Amino acid sequence: MSTCDSLGSSGAKVEGAENAETTQKGEYPVEGEVNPGGVTPGEVNPGEVNPTTLNEDPKEEEEKAKLQASTLDDGVNINVIIERLSKEDPQSLAKIYSLMKNNNCLNFYPLLTPYHNIKKIVDILIEENYEHENTWCVHCDAAFICQLLYEGFIPVASKQKVCKVEKNQTKVVKECLLIPKIHYVRSCMHPSEIHISRKVKKKCRGYYITVDKDFDGVLQGIVEKHGQNWLYPFVQKEFKKIFEKKITYMNVRMHSVELWCDDFLAAGEIGCTVGSIYTSLTGFQRRSCAGTIQLCALAKLLQHQKFDLWDLGMLLPYKKTIGSKEVSMKDFFKMHRSTDSTAASSSMARRTGPLRCNQKRSQKCNQKRSQKCNQKRNQKCNQKCSQKCSQK
């Protein structure tokens, strides 16, 4: 279900296609040329079947195409959507055509707009066994992002070069667009399935986790670590609107998760909740193993909050180590829709305070370590002194 297939069926005619003087191969007949079989154009050779009689009437084909288009729901019928865009949002429609003209790769991915029925689009992609992970859209507002999150997409931002003519001069500008991802293989798990290694248990001492305490700090840490890979300023702005609940849609909520060591932000991530489903969008770490500690602590928090599904997005090796599983696109959306996504999302930060490690244990461990270090130092000093005395 590519964009070129969709927009190509909108009834637009190709110039020159109706030229009656061209042959089937597009060549003009030459005067005096002998046709094979001695048959002039337009005549039927006796004893042969006219190939045009085998084809259906073009009018019947057009009627069938119209009937098929009329049976489509308005939320997936590209003709209806283009018509609505031309009337209600012509600037976005112009942007769509401009991007398609300058970036041929977009022609092969499904186009999404606020006028689409996103749920039915997902059903069509599953039915067609869509093996890619990308869709695209030019609507980057918080309301549409919420709608995509609610349906199970992970919105990633991008900028594409587009040529524009201004005052008889061609300029290359970058247009902002979203690349909502619908992974062919998804990484997800139940929070109770988390695997916490011994290494994480040893290194987690001294850390504690909070929720929604420093959203801006987490955004800054992500950009600092990964650059503006997909978290462009315009996306940060829209995410902030969702986080501050200036824009709401159904039960979609945006959250930040922070891992602290004293007052130092060691790791963090941003994610969203849809009922009892939590989706990790992106994160960062500033210390070794801090990211894994943050994920393990978050899993325990989600389990305590009785979340049913933890969506980790793309499957990566480090996610496997904590217990995440491979799930096909079809199975994921079956789980996503069967899970209690209609329940009201509650504020994770309000329901529980920060999950702190046992500080008394960490203090005792530090004391024991310091004692052992002092003993080793004293032993070394005594050995050196005894060696010097024996030499003298």
Side-chain angles (χ1 to χ4, degrees):
M1 184 185 170
S2 62
T3 306
C4 58
D5 293 337
S6 302
L7 296 182
S9 62
S10 60
K13 294 183 179 180
V14 181
E15 294 182 2
E18 66 279 0
N19 193 343
E21 295 182 358
T22 57
T23 63
Q24 189 175 358
K25 294 183 179 180
E27 299 176 352
Y28 289 93
V30 182
E31 291 184 5
E33 183 179 353
V34 180
N35 293 309
V39 182
T40 58
E43 293 183 355
V44 179
N45 192 13
E48 293 184 1
V49 180
N50 188 357
T52 58
T53 60
L54 297 176
N55 298 328
E56 295 182 0
D57 189 2
K59 292 183 179 180
E60 292 181 2
E61 291 182 357
E62 288 181 7
E63 289 178 0
K64 284 184 178 180
K66 288 180 181 179
L67 181 63
Q68 187 177 2
S70 63
T71 57
L72 289 174
D73 187 89
D74 289 348
V76 295
N77 191 332
I78 193 64
N79 297 329
V80 176
I81 291 168
I82 289 175
E83 187 177 352
R84 289 188 64 184
L85 281 169
S86 63
K87 293 178 180 178
E88 301 175 20
D89 195 0
Q91 291 183 350
S92 296
L93 183 60
K95 188 177 178 180
I96 289 169
Y97 279 116
S98 178
L99 284 165
M100 290 176 63
K101 183 179 178 181
N102 290 273
N103 301 274
N104 293 328
C105 61
L106 295 178
N107 296 327
F108 301 98
Y109 298 122
L111 171 69
L112 301 179
T113 69
Y115 303 100
H116 278 91
N117 186 326
I118 305 298
K119 185 177 180 180
K120 289 191 176 181
I121 291 292
V122 171
D123 292 336
I124 292 171
L125 294 177
I126 292 172
E127 186 179 351
E128 293 186 357
N129 197 25
Y130 185 64
E131 295 183 357
H132 303 285
E133 63 177 14
N134 294 335
T135 61
W136 67 286
C137 59
V138 298
H139 297 83
C140 306
D141 55 288
F144 189 52
I145 291 174
C146 282
Q147 189 178 351
L148 293 170
L149 291 170
Y150 181 80
E151 296 296 343
F153 286 83
I154 296 180
V156 178
S158 179
K159 287 188 177 182
Q160 298 290 330
K161 292 181 180 179
V162 174
C163 296
K164 285 188 175 181
V165 179
E166 294 180 0
K167 297 180 180 180
N168 297 327
Q169 292 182 351
T170 304
K171 294 183 179 180
V172 178
V173 296
K174 288 187 176 181
E175 291 281 8
C176 302
L177 71 155
L178 285 180
I179 309 291
K181 290 188 176 290
I182 177 172
H183 297 287
Y184 186 68
V185 177
R186 203 80 165 225
S187 173
C188 60
M189 61 189 293
H190 190 277
S192 62
E193 297 172 343
I194 187 70
H195 172 70
I196 303 175
S197 63
R198 291 182 180 178
K199 181 181 178 181
V200 171
K201 290 178 180 178
K202 288 180 181 179
K203 290 192 173 184
C204 72
R205 297 187 180 98
Y207 289 102
Y208 66 96
I209 191 172
T210 60
V211 178
D212 295 344
K213 184 178 179 180
D214 191 2
F215 188 83
D216 292 331
V218 173
L219 291 178
Q220 184 180 353
I222 293 168
V223 174
E224 175 188 309
K225 182 69 176 178
H226 304 291
Q228 292 183 346
N229 187 23
W230 67 272
L231 208 59
Y232 289 98
F234 73 93
V235 175
Q236 295 181 37
K237 183 180 177 181
E238 301 305 318
F239 279 4
K240 190 75 180 290
K241 290 179 183 178
I242 303 171
F243 173 74
E244 294 175 347
K245 298 180 183 178
K246 293 179 180 178
I247 301 294
T248 58
Y249 177 83
M250 302 295 285
N251 53 4
V252 178
R253 301 289 181 269
M254 188 73 67
H255 295 283
S256 65
V257 181
E258 304 90 14
L259 184 75
W260 302 88
C261 182
D262 295 329
D263 294 331
F264 177 72
L265 184 58
E269 72 168 56
I270 56 173
C272 72
T273 56
V274 182
S276 60
I277 302 169
Y278 177 81
T279 301
S280 295
L281 296 176
T282 185
F284 75 99
Q285 67 173 12
R286 287 175 174 151
R287 287 185 178 178
S288 176
C289 201
T292 307
I293 295 170
Q294 178 254 310
L295 288 173
C296 293
L298 174 60
K300 290 299 180 182
L301 175 61
L302 295 174
Q303 185 179 356
H304 178 72
Q305 298 291 338
K306 297 181 180 180
F307 277 80
D308 296 322
L309 183 64
W310 184 12
D311 175 19
L312 289 152
M314 182 186 295
L315 186 66
L316 294 172
Y318 78 89
K319 296 176 184 178
K320 273 189 173 182
T321 59
I322 62 172
S324 183
K325 299 176 182 177
E326 293 184 12
V327 179
S328 66
M329 181 171 64
K330 184 177 180 180
D331 292 337
F332 169 76
F333 280 99
K334 190 183 292 183
M335 293 166 58
H336 192 275
R337 292 172 181 178
S338 62
T339 307
D340 189 14
S341 60
T342 58
S345 293
S346 56
S347 176
M348 294 165 62
R350 290 178 183 175
R351 289 178 66 179
T352 59
L355 297 180
R356 296 177 181 270
C357 298
N358 195 323
Q359 292 183 352
K360 291 183 179 179
R361 287 183 181 178
S362 61
Q363 288 175 359
K364 288 181 180 179
C365 290
N366 291 331
Q367 289 176 359
K368 287 182 180 179
R369 286 179 183 176
S370 61
Q371 288 175 0
K372 287 181 180 179
C373 290
N374 291 330
Q375 288 176 359
K376 288 181 179 179
R377 286 178 183 175
N378 293 331
Q379 288 176 0
K380 287 182 179 180
C381 290
N382 293 331
Q383 288 176 359
K384 287 181 179 180
C385 290
S386 60
Q387 288 176 0
K388 287 181 180 180
C389 292
S390 61
Q391 288 176 359
K392 289 180 179 180

